[in-house]
């Protein structure tokens, strides 16, 4: 299992290109199931989760070509997905348990083929994460759904799914995506109320429109989708990853450096930029992205609460906490989206952080410096928070189990090392 070795204390300086967004790419990949024509996605990040989704699609019968070559193991930035011949509408446990976003094939399969069998994703490190909203929404569209043997068995009524109004009792990114995709092929109009407004939802909607779908309300919490008999192929570029950009913004801040994040969009990071500004981190727009800079020793503690977009994203909570560990004063960080998303706390504490958790809030009292230590994390964003802490810490940090990082950060050690970070990947046999 690979490790990352980081010798901290170097201010980062330079430019980092932001990759395509993982969380936008995954639903876009699943959207290929909605048409028998080819969907080409460009600006695709090279990540383990993207490969897992390609594998899942391939076992349904989708032909997957990355840059015209076989998808698995080869490198590339565009993928062609051809779902002309689907021979299997089952998403097996083995793939779904690896990646929760696999459940995104449910809506498209059900809408186009009238049936789908998708393994329940089960729990994961950051919480129980149920899929009841995905199921209830599809039921509202006429689907009959049973849970059997750990699988969701879904059947559309004779003649296909029917448009419906569905009010989300709680904002869900994945359920909004699943229902929006299903609605594009349903009979009549679907209205999704209290829908998620994350930029990745807008990206999916724009791709679906390019495939012939009719969707109104992009960027709002009310999406209106008029169903079509069929969708067609398209070519679509994945939007830049706001979470990767936000992570690197915090890397600049925690090392007292200056980074230009190429391709980053302020509109997708407003709450983060506002919070960083309050912490004494400068964020400004440039012709090519965002410039982020901070002076070592001048960070100040700010309170942060995670919320659905446009609020502060839960996917940047762990990184923000790492930053607050070395800020002056105290910071209260409250997690409202996932119930168990503080697994980085004991690891940060091993590096000298002063953090007390009370239920869904963590009180971080800033310390003058962190010290390097061997650490490990149990999820993607927690892992990267330890990388950030390692970049700022005195001495050597070894981040273990970095397969989590590889799920969501493309060539992170190369991108950071190019800006002065002293870090390397240590390959180890499993
Ligand atoms: C997506 C992101 C993830 C991010 C999260 C919240 C992808 C691939 N992943 O995950 O990185 O952290 O949004 O911004 O895009 N819930 C239910 N029932 C459901 C669905 C969700 O109770 O049927 C709950 C969840 O347990 C959680 C909350 O709703 O507490 C939000 O989850 P959701 O927005 O659905 O997250 P994901 O789509 O899984």
């Amino acid at each position: 299992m690979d490790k990352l070795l980081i010798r901290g204390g170097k201010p980062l300086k330079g430019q980092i290109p932001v990759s395509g967004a993982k969380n936008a790419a995954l639903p876009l990949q699943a959207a290929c199931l909605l048409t028998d024509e080819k969907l080409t996605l460009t600006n695709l990040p090279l990540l383990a989760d993207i490969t897992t989704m390609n594998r899942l699609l391939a076992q349904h019968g989708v032909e997957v070509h990355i840059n015209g070559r076989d998808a698995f193991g080869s490198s590339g930035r565009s993928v062609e997905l051809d779902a002309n011949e689907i021979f299997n509408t089952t998403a097996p446990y083995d793939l779904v348990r690896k990646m929760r976003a696999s459940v995104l094939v449910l809506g498209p399969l059900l809408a186009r083929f009238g049936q789908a069998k998708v393994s329940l994703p089960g729990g994961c490190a950051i919480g129980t994460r149920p899929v009841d909203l995905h199921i209830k929404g599809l039921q509202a569209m006429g689907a009959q759904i049973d849970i059997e043997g750990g699988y969701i068995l879904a059947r559309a009524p004779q003649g296909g799914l029917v448009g419906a109004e569905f009010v989300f009792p709680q904002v869900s990114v994945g359920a909004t995506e699943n229902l929006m995709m299903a609605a594009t092929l349903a009979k009549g109009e679907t209205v999704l109320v209290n829908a998620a407004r994350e930029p990745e939802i807008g990206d999916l909607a724009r791709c679906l429109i390019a495939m012939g779908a009719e969707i109104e309300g992009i960027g709002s919490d009310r999406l209106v989708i008029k169903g079509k008999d069929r969708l067609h192929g398209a070519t679509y570029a994945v939007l830049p990853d706001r979470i990767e950009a936000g992570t690197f913004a915090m890397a600049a801040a925690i090392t007292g450096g200056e980074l230009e994040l190429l391709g980053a969009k302020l509109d997708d990071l407003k709450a983060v930029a506002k919070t960083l500004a309050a912490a004494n981190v400068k964020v400004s727009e440039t012709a090519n992205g965002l410039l982020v800079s901070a002076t070592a020793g001048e960070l100040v503690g700010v309170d942060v609460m995670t919320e659905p977009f446009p609020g502060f994203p839960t996917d940047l909570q762990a990184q923000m906490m790492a930053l607050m560990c070395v800020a002056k004063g105290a910071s209260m960080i409250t997690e409202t989206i996932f119930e168990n998303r503080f697994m980085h706390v004991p690891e940060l504490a091993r590096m000298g952080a002063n953090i007390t958790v009370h239920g869904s809030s963590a009180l971080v009292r800033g310390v003058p410096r962190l010290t390097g230590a061997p650490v490990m994390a149990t999820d993607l964003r927690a892992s990267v928070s330890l990388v950030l802490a390692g970049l700022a810490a005195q001495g050597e940090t070894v981040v273990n189990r970095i397969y989590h990082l590889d799920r969501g950060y493309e060539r992170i050690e190369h991108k950071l090392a190019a800006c002065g970070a002293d870090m390397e990947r240590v390959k180890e046999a499993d």
Side-chain angles (χ1 to χ4, degrees):
M1 228 177 266
D2 293 2
K3 301 169 175 185
L4 273 185
L5 190 72
I6 306 168
R7 282 169 288 263
K10 315 263 185 315
L12 300 184
K13 278 211 161 34
Q15 296 180 319
I16 301 189
V18 176
S19 296
K22 167 179 88 76
N23 287 353
L26 293 170
L28 290 172
Q29 286 170 281
C32 80
L33 292 167
L34 291 164
T35 175
D36 59 1
E37 295 182 18
K38 206 179 281 175
L39 176 65
T40 302
L41 300 175
T42 62
N43 196 34
L44 200 74
L46 295 175
L47 298 169
D49 275 11
I50 301 298
T51 307
T52 303
M53 183 58 95
N54 281 339
R55 277 187 209 285
L56 177 64
L57 294 171
Q59 66 84 48
H60 288 308
V62 176
E63 271 187 45
V64 182
H65 291 287
I66 291 194
N67 278 352
R69 283 180 291 145
D70 184 67
F72 308 113
S74 68
S75 63
R77 298 214 155 254
S78 85
V79 66
E80 285 177 12
L81 301 166
D82 186 340
N84 181 29
E85 278 180 44
I86 295 302
F87 47 72
N88 170 25
T89 52
T90 299
Y93 175 65
D94 256 9
L95 284 167
V96 179
R97 83 182 157 80
K98 269 197 191 157
M99 186 183 67
R100 211 189 125 72
S102 307
V103 78
L104 292 171
V105 299
L106 176 62
L109 284 174
L110 185 61
R112 182 161 153 227
F113 302 101
Q115 59 174 42
K117 179 176 171 187
V118 176
S119 171
L120 281 166
C124 74
I126 63 173
T128 46
R129 297 181 84 174
V131 287
D132 56 317
L133 302 175
H134 302 240
I135 291 173
K136 283 187 186 127
L138 292 170
Q139 282 171 331
M141 296 169 80
Q144 194 203 314
I145 299 195
D146 299 297
I147 306 293
E148 248 178 62
Y151 277 80
I152 305 165
L153 304 183
R155 275 193 178 280
Q158 203 82 42
L161 293 174
V162 271
E165 175 170 300
F166 184 71
V167 183
F168 288 94
Q170 177 183 356
V171 178
S172 164
V173 174
T176 302
E177 291 165 344
N178 235 334
L179 298 186
M180 181 163 64
M181 287 191 278
T184 60
L185 291 182
K187 301 250 162 322
E189 187 176 275
T190 298
V191 184
L192 301 178
V193 182
N194 196 26
R197 285 186 279 167
E198 269 66 4
E200 293 76 19
I201 307 268
D203 214 38
L204 175 62
R206 280 184 285 272
C207 177
L208 293 170
I209 290 170
M211 294 166 72
E214 212 179 313
I215 302 174
E216 279 170 22
I218 296 178
S220 80
D221 62 359
R222 189 171 185 276
L223 293 167
V224 180
I225 304 121
K226 291 206 176 75
K228 299 280 177 190
D229 290 339
R230 61 185 302 272
L231 298 187
H232 53 72
T235 296
Y236 191 79
V238 179
L239 97 171
D241 195 323
R242 66 193 166 101
I243 304 300
E244 189 198 24
T247 301
F248 291 142
M250 290 173 203
I254 203 167
T255 61
E258 181 175 284
L259 291 176
E260 189 180 10
L261 306 172
L262 304 175
K265 292 185 187 171
L266 188 57
D267 274 353
D268 295 349
L269 282 162
K270 277 202 176 130
V272 176
K274 200 170 154 206
T275 307
L276 287 176
N280 248 349
V281 180
K282 289 195 197 80
V283 181
S284 57
E285 276 183 294
T286 65
N288 302 313
L290 290 177
L291 187 69
V292 184
S293 64
T295 309
E298 290 191 3
L299 291 171
V300 293
V302 284
D303 292 345
V304 181
M305 186 185 285
T306 63
E307 281 168 319
F309 193 84
F312 192 96
T314 174
D315 285 352
L316 285 172
Q317 177 259 110
Q319 300 89 314
M320 191 66 199
M321 191 181 296
L323 187 61
M324 292 296 92
C325 287
V326 292
K328 278 193 198 120
S331 159
M332 180 71 90
I333 299 189
T334 305
E335 172 61 55
T336 71
I337 311 287
F338 294 111
E339 76 266 28
N340 188 23
R341 211 172 197 183
F342 283 146
M343 267 115 26
H344 39 288
V345 169
E347 299 300 302
L348 289 169
R350 298 185 62 252
M351 299 177 72
N354 181 347
I355 307 170
T356 318
V357 174
H358 300 278
S360 60
S361 291
L363 177 63
V364 185
R365 292 186 177 88
V367 294
R369 76 181 52 80
L370 297 172
T371 48
V375 286
M376 79 163 67
T378 42
D379 76 81
L380 167 57
R381 308 302 170 185
S383 309
V384 86
S385 76
L386 300 174
V387 172
L388 296 186
L391 290 172
Q394 211 167 43
E396 196 172 279
T397 296
V398 178
V399 183
N400 292 290
R401 289 207 191 173
I402 57 166
Y403 60 85
H404 289 297
L405 270 181
D406 293 335
R407 289 186 45 207
Y409 290 91
E410 183 178 331
R411 299 179 300 111
I412 187 168
E413 70 275 25
H414 296 129
K415 288 191 181 189
L416 292 172
C419 296
D422 186 351
M423 66 194 290
E424 66 198 85
R425 180 180 289 252
V426 182
K427 293 230 173 252
E428 277 193 2
D430 284 348

